[in-house]
Amino acid sequence: MILQTGRHTKAMFLVAAGLLLLMSPSSGLSEETTLALGQLPSVPIPSHNLQFNSKVELGKLLFFDPRLSKDDSVSCASCHVPAAGFADPRQFSLGVGGKQGGRNAPSAMNAAYNHLQFWDGRAGSLEEQALGPIQNPIEMAETLNGVVTKLSRVKVYQARFQAVFGDDVSADGIAKAIAAFERTLISTNSPFDRSIAGDKSALSGSAQRGLELFQGKARCVLCHNGPNFTDNKFHHIGVPQTGPLREDVGRYAVTKREADRRAFKTPSLRSVALTAPYMHTGGFKTLDEVVDFYNGGGEAVPGKDAFMSALNLTDQEKKDLVEFMNSLTGELTNMAPPKLP
């Protein structure tokens, strides 16, 4: 139990969460498990990159500027599309020259709350994440020196970097500005948020039943918990391998721990209705397909997390669960590209 729906359910999920903490390949016993679903807290701001409007505005320009790529064709917004919940509506993201990646780009919305970035958690901050795609040969295929050189030729960027950082264009400034902008991409004030704030009419009857299922029979809350609907951990749930990669080893590529093989980060479910297709493979086109996958217990593969088993949801229960996930759609649903210098 996460909301106030009964002591028995609460006890059951506290025990289940404890078991999951022990079973999760990327969990540590020292980590505190926060289960409570609720409204988002203030966005965490690192002391080395304080937030102010001119920095955010610079970051927005950089986020939408294709000059960060080698041939000036791909921007951050190319794969983190505002109208798609800052995710990629294509199954696999495309980089410079039409090169195809092996994963669907995760949403940048609410990434400010993530402990680690990317599906495999290889970046420890938004600042580190911002520079990764620029240098990735199948994404932007540029070098940091190349980007700095290009932007330094633009008078508007010269002036803005001096105003924000008191210095010339730099890779560090690019990372900090983009990260500052991404910390404004917050999905909140959803029907769910309004409901827990006291608006009894915010959730439909179907969504209310879906919330009960989410916390109960469907067991979604074991991983999708906390205000951002993620445990910030990595799990192997038996997603079928599709796309150009023969095997995507997931978190294992970072940790080299066999227990992390094919484990991927639990994504936030806030505004999840906007971010199709789903999973790191982009293999499910709709939330209905996702629910069917979980209802069947995932693909029968070695090493799958122990909690993945058939749910035996009825057709109506599956519809109610999807209706609840639809109720997590917040106010940030689109954003017009800025006029680039």
Side-chain angles (χ1 to χ4, degrees):
M1 199 285 284
I2 307 306
L3 300 179
Q4 298 300 316
T5 56
R7 293 182 180 178
H8 175 72
T9 312
K10 179 177 181 179
M12 177 181 69
F13 273 100
L14 287 176
V15 171
L19 291 174
L20 180 60
L21 183 62
L22 292 173
M23 292 187 297
S24 175
S26 298
S27 298
L29 293 178
S30 62
E31 295 176 345
E32 180 180 351
T33 303
T34 302
L35 290 177
L37 303 180
Q39 294 176 316
L40 288 165
S42 298
V43 175
I45 306 297
S47 59
H48 64 83
N49 191 17
L50 299 180
Q51 199 93 339
F52 48 90
N53 288 339
S54 58
K55 185 188 290 183
V56 170
E57 290 168 2
L58 172 58
K60 183 176 181 179
L61 289 175
L62 294 169
F63 187 89
F64 283 90
D65 198 331
R67 282 172 288 193
L68 269 63
S69 66
K70 184 176 182 179
D71 64 356
D72 302 344
S73 66
V74 178
S75 72
C76 303
S78 297
C79 298
H80 299 283
V81 182
F86 289 87
D88 196 336
R90 301 166 296 190
Q91 182 175 8
F92 300 110
S93 300
L94 300 179
V96 166
K99 293 179 181 177
Q100 186 183 72
R103 296 174 183 167
N104 176 258
S107 174
M109 193 153 37
N110 287 24
Y113 295 98
N114 291 344
H115 298 172
L116 297 170
Q117 306 296 334
F118 295 112
W119 281 109
D120 55 16
R122 65 185 181 273
S125 68
L126 285 176
E127 286 79 8
E128 184 181 353
Q129 179 276 327
L131 298 181
I134 295 174
Q135 304 168 85
N136 191 314
I138 62 172
E139 294 185 53
M140 294 180 171
E142 184 54 283
T143 65
L144 297 182
N145 287 338
V147 170
V148 169
T149 299
K150 282 194 286 187
L151 298 185
S152 295
R153 299 190 188 113
V154 182
K155 291 183 178 180
V156 171
Y157 278 131
Q158 292 176 8
R160 283 182 177 262
F161 272 83
Q162 284 290 343
V164 171
F165 299 108
D167 207 346
D168 295 333
V169 178
S170 68
D172 182 65
I174 292 169
K176 287 180 176 177
I178 292 176
F181 169 66
E182 290 180 331
R183 289 189 175 100
T184 70
L185 305 180
I186 305 301
S187 170
T188 189
N189 200 31
S190 65
F192 167 78
D193 292 309
R194 296 195 295 273
S195 174
I196 61 175
D199 183 353
K200 295 182 179 180
S201 65
L203 293 182
S204 67
S206 176
Q208 290 174 11
R209 294 191 300 270
L211 173 57
E212 291 294 322
L213 289 162
F214 190 92
Q215 299 177 108
K217 183 179 178 180
R219 305 197 300 268
C220 310
V221 77
L222 290 179
C223 298
H224 295 284
N225 50 58
N228 201 30
F229 287 79
T230 172
D231 61 3
N232 278 299
K233 300 188 191 321
F234 301 83
H235 302 283
H236 177 3
I237 60 173
V239 174
Q241 179 64 50
T242 59
L245 299 178
R246 182 173 182 178
E247 180 189 16
D248 190 339
V249 297
R251 182 67 173 158
Y252 173 83
V254 179
T255 67
K256 304 306 180 185
R257 296 176 64 236
E258 191 60 36
D260 286 334
R261 186 176 293 275
R262 293 189 67 182
F264 295 87
K265 183 162 63 67
T266 305
S268 169
L269 294 186
R270 284 188 172 271
S271 290
V272 68
L274 304 178
T275 63
Y278 301 104
M279 305 298 186
H280 65 280
T281 62
F284 300 124
K285 296 180 181 179
T286 66
L287 287 174
D288 298 281
E289 290 182 9
V290 173
V291 171
D292 282 337
F293 167 77
Y294 279 105
N295 197 41
E299 191 175 57
V301 291
K304 185 174 66 174
D305 281 17
F307 65 87
M308 284 294 296
S309 59
L311 301 174
N312 299 313
L313 299 174
T314 68
D315 288 344
Q316 184 60 54
E317 286 173 332
K318 289 189 289 184
K319 291 178 182 178
D320 291 341
L321 197 56
V322 170
E323 184 67 15
F324 170 66
M325 287 189 281
N326 287 333
S327 80
L328 299 177
T329 303
E331 291 182 339
L332 180 61
T333 58
N334 206 345
M335 178 180 291
K339 183 178 180 180
L340 297 177

